[in-house]
Amino acid sequence: MALAEKKGGLLRKSSASKKPLKEKVVLMYDEIFTIDDPSKRNPRFWEELFLMKVNLEYLEGKLEALDGEELMKIKDNINCLFQHCIQALAEEHPIRVVNALQTLCALIRGVHQKNKSTSGFDIINMLMGFDKAELCMKNLMESLDALLCAEGSESLKSLCLKLLLCLVTVTDNISQNTILEYVMINSIFEAILQILSTPLSRREHGYDAVVLLALLVNYRKYESVNPYIVKLSIVDDEATLNGMGLVIAQALSEYNQQYRDKEEEHQTGFFSALTNMVGSMFIADADEKISVQTNEAILLALYEAVHLNRNFITVLAQSHPEIGLMTTPASPVPTTPVTPLGTTPPSSDVMGSTELPLDADVQTSNLLITFLKYSSIVMQDTKDEHRLYSGKLCLIILTCIAEDQYANAFLHDDNMNFRVNLHRMPMRHRKKAADKNLPCRPLVCAVLDLMVEFIVTHMMKEFPMDLYVRCIQIVHKLLCYQKKCRVRLHYTWRELWSALINLLKFLMSNETVLLAKHNIFTLALMVVNLFNMFITYGDTFLPTPSSYDELYYEIIRMHQSFDNLYSMACLQRQHLAAHWQREETESSSVPGLWEQVLRLSTNVGQWKEPASKVTHALVNIRAIINHFNPKIESYAAVNHISQLSEEQVLEVVRSNYDTLTLKLQDGLDQHERYSEQHKEATFFKELVRSISINVRKNLAFNTLSQELLLKEFSTIS
């Protein structure tokens, strides 16, 4: 009852003898929702209105209660209220400004509820009228810009950013929000940069500023020239870029910490006790239930910065103490409700400083390490839609990094070694690696570890083909850089080779199911060409000659997998047709594999061309197998050994390189550059829509109590 009265703006309960009393602001709202101009009865109506504490719930509820026809009848009063709100923003009294900002938020949200099925153009008419829209929005944006850049109240800046976020997300598809045309013309880009470059403002408002910028960059980015894209691409101010990096790092770090806390709680709770009692039977299923809301909004901001601004690449490697391990001074933090899709601002004071003190006893980190840890968590489970979005976006960001020359330089720098503790999916057949045993290595090793981990852990019925393709492409781009610059990386390449071979085995074992949905030959070709890269150019980037020997050992040891792939992809139509006829006369049931291969290899088979490419790509691998296998068998026969050891096989390999003939394959060290507009536009439109909906849903405008505002603005005359 009390809540209902509060929403209705009642000051006391109704009784038989007395009418219920309403707040004065509610009575004034009621006057606005009549056809008459409220200022005719009271010339000071608008001045008095903005001295009253805003009742957001009542104002929004009143708008929602009206149907479209009723709303159109009071359109003039709504337009008048909107214009007076903008005028109040220029007032000297902060209380008026705060109330005007909150009223604008309520108006925009309320009108949006009535215009869900229509375009942003109708919202413009309802809020300010077509004829006055340009001037209104110009004045509004100038006032917001002035408030954001001023040295005044942080509360006002917070409300300004929330109003802008409300304005941007008023429609699900922000590119259909015509109001944003005025935000493009009257840019607040410099104001956002100022927030990010100033320690105090960054700590209080950095998160909202970064999310706002990411959304503005995505307004009609494929249809027209977006000034925010142009301006972001040329930012070169170190303080601003570092500030943006700190905001992103803090948000991702908080996600990582939440996951770590849940993981520890999980391990010390009921499931841990259950595991101790019954063994490891349920450990994978139990650990899969660990879940923390993903953060697509901040990830989108990271992507836009990496993709658009070459200067931001330097921020990825900017060293600072690991955020989760730092002791930070106690200070007030902005109060914003916890929200799903990354709309929660980070709370640490780490964002308050560009230069962070380094402690020899604290693990040094940087934005890239924090991002890799985040990626290792969200990429564990791609069945959930939001995690799938996050996992795909993580791989896209890594793609942009892997093809950047400067990024590769610090990724492969032997003087920049870090201990990166990636999260690994719990699996019954392997033990969890101890954090303390992790070596310090160049950052590219962590990237390769992440790719290997993904390859190993996602071979399942709901096969994430797109993510696998991106994963293999990232590895290929890194190898191209190593070959080009002759970087001899000390990495456990065997783990990668083993993962790739197991992937080929999985594709062949599940070809019938997978081919119904995916062109698995494209992925198989990419995997085979990675091996061809190692075979053709491995002597230029593998760390030692013995590494090259080990490559040949793995190919020979797993030759059956390559033989099976060759059989599946390259048997000619005539041979299969003859085999089919023989099998048909011998048995009425034809093996499924042969039926599938026949269909694939005939002229009418849709996979004939990609299968043929795999056949040609296998030429050197088959040459190695056919060259060394007879020599290994001969060595075993001469020495009367039934099963050779690894060292004995390697001895045969080393002594028979001279007689091996390989073909030079073109284009192995070339790769296609990443292009968002041509290949990823649909994905980003859906992603931005999802973020926009959640930002709008979780915005809170009433987190500032009137008492706090009065205290902050106690100097009002």
Side-chain angles (χ1 to χ4, degrees), residues 114 405 466 475:
K114 307 307 298 181
Q405 188 77 6
D466 178 60
V475 176

Side-chain angles (χ1 to χ4, degrees), residues 149-436:
C149 294
E151 294 184 359
S153 164
E154 297 302 322
S155 299
L156 286 180
K157 291 182 182 180
S158 177
L159 279 174
C160 287
L161 287 169
K162 292 186 188 304
L163 172 59
L164 286 164
L165 284 170
C166 181
L167 202 63
V168 171
T169 60
V170 75
T171 55
D172 294 351
N173 182 349
I174 65 172
S175 293
Q176 293 178 350
N177 182 3
T178 319
I179 295 177
L180 291 190
E181 285 296 330
Y182 302 107
V183 183
M184 296 294 117
I185 297 168
N186 305 283
S187 176
I188 51 159
F189 184 80
E190 285 71 21
I192 294 174
L193 294 196
Q194 183 171 316
I195 289 172
L196 295 176
S197 62
T198 309
L200 176 61
S201 291
R202 179 171 65 245
R203 183 175 69 241
E204 298 289 337
H205 318 297
Y207 188 90
D208 283 345
V210 163
V211 172
L212 175 63
L213 180 59
L215 289 170
L216 289 172
V217 162
N218 280 276
Y219 174 71
R220 302 192 67 188
K221 67 193 306 187
Y222 308 119
E223 294 90 30
S224 61
V225 177
N226 182 321
Y228 289 84
I229 292 178
V230 177
K231 291 181 178 181
L232 179 58
S233 66
I234 59 176
V235 173
D236 58 1
D237 179 67
E238 187 176 348
T240 302
L241 294 173
N242 285 339
M244 187 175 185
L246 282 169
V247 173
I248 296 170
Q250 177 62 25
L252 296 180
S253 182
E254 284 198 0
Y255 176 92
N256 296 345
Q257 185 62 50
Q258 288 175 26
Y259 183 86
R260 208 158 37 234
D261 292 343
K262 281 201 172 186
E263 194 176 39
E264 290 176 2
E265 177 186 333
H266 197 80
Q267 290 170 351
T268 56
F270 168 76
F271 284 106
S272 178
L274 182 64
T275 301
N276 290 335
M277 285 180 356
V278 298
S280 60
M281 183 182 298
F282 303 111
I283 189 166
D285 297 331
D287 283 4
E288 282 173 6
K289 295 179 182 178
I290 300 174
S291 178
V292 180
Q293 289 288 359
T294 49
N295 198 325
E296 283 83 7
I298 206 69
L299 208 58
L300 178 66
L302 174 59
Y303 164 76
E304 297 296 356
V306 169
H307 180 230
L308 295 175
N309 193 303
R310 289 290 309 278
N311 299 313
F312 190 80
I313 294 294
T314 62
V315 176
L316 295 174
Q318 189 78 29
S319 294
H320 58 72
E322 191 163 8
I323 292 173
L325 300 177
M326 288 188 64
T327 303
T328 56
S331 68
V333 295
T335 55
T336 302
V338 175
T339 57
L341 275 179
T343 49
T344 308
S347 58
S348 172
D349 286 288
V350 171
M351 292 192 300
S353 172
T354 307
E355 296 182 5
L356 297 167
L358 294 177
D359 186 339
D361 297 326
V362 176
Q363 167 70 35
T364 302
S365 186
N366 56 41
L367 174 55
L368 181 58
I369 292 174
T370 305
F371 167 65
L372 289 173
K373 290 180 179 180
Y374 175 90
S375 301
S376 70
I377 296 171
V378 299
M379 285 166 57
Q380 287 184 23
D381 179 15
T382 56
K383 294 176 183 176
D384 173 76
E385 181 186 15
H386 296 311
R387 282 176 173 260
L388 179 62
Y389 277 163
S390 267
K392 183 172 180 175
L393 189 49
C394 286
L395 289 173
I396 291 175
I397 293 170
L398 283 171
T399 299
C400 295
I401 293 172
E403 64 183 32
D404 184 88
Q405 188 77 6
Y406 180 78
N408 267 302
F410 73 72
L411 281 175
H412 292 84
D413 191 343
D414 270 334
N415 297 315
M416 292 179 62
N417 293 327
F418 294 89
R419 184 177 289 111
V420 184
N421 180 26
L422 299 177
H423 293 264
R424 305 179 77 208
M425 186 182 292
M427 299 180 76
R428 296 188 184 97
H429 65 273
R430 70 178 183 186
K431 294 181 180 179
K432 186 176 180 180
D435 298 351
K436 295 180 181 178

Side-chain angles (χ1 to χ4, degrees), residues 634-642 648:
S634 174
Y635 179 92
V638 169
N639 293 279
H640 306 289
I641 303 172
S642 58
Q648 289 169 327

Side-chain angles (χ1 to χ4, degrees), residues 407-546:
N408 267 302
F410 73 72
L411 281 175
H412 292 84
D413 191 343
D414 270 334
N415 297 315
M416 292 179 62
N417 293 327
F418 294 89
R419 184 177 289 111
V420 184
N421 180 26
L422 299 177
H423 293 264
R424 305 179 77 208
M425 186 182 292
M427 299 180 76
R428 296 188 184 97
H429 65 273
R430 70 178 183 186
K431 294 181 180 179
K432 186 176 180 180
D435 298 351
K436 295 180 181 178
N437 296 333
L438 293 171
C440 284
R441 301 173 298 171
L443 285 171
V444 69
C445 295
V447 178
L448 289 169
D449 284 346
L450 183 62
M451 298 301 99
V452 169
E453 177 68 10
F454 181 85
I455 293 170
V456 169
T457 56
H458 288 76
M459 299 179 205
M460 50 193 172
K461 185 184 291 186
E462 295 298 322
F463 188 68
M465 178 73 173
D466 178 60
L467 301 188
Y468 266 97
V469 169
R470 296 176 191 278
C471 184
I472 301 301
Q473 286 174 337
I474 290 168
V475 176
H476 181 232
K477 291 175 194 290
L478 294 173
L479 292 181
C480 288
Y481 174 83
Q482 292 168 23
K483 180 261 176 182
K484 177 183 175 182
C485 299
R486 295 184 173 267
V487 177
R488 296 191 180 276
L489 182 68
H490 289 271
Y491 181 72
T492 50
W493 292 110
R494 268 193 169 181
E495 291 185 5
L496 174 62
W497 299 332
S498 176
L500 294 174
I501 292 172
N502 285 331
L503 174 58
L504 288 178
K505 289 168 67 176
F506 174 81
L507 294 178
M508 288 181 288
S509 300
N510 299 273
E511 56 156 330
T512 306
V513 175
L514 294 176
L515 276 170
K517 300 178 181 179
H518 312 292
N519 178 2
I520 61 173
F521 290 105
T522 299
L523 182 58
L525 178 63
M526 295 171 69
V527 172
V528 170
N529 279 337
L530 281 186
F531 279 102
N532 286 330
M533 272 284 289
F534 283 104
I535 293 167
T536 308
Y537 303 116
D539 59 328
T540 65
F541 62 82
L542 287 173
T544 60
S546 62

Side-chain angles (χ1 to χ4, degrees), residues 9 11 22-29 42 48 52:
L11 293 179
K22 290 185 177 181
E23 299 174 56
K24 183 173 181 179
V25 72
V26 169
L27 294 172
M28 298 183 82
Y29 290 156
N42 178 7
E48 293 175 6
M52 304 290 170

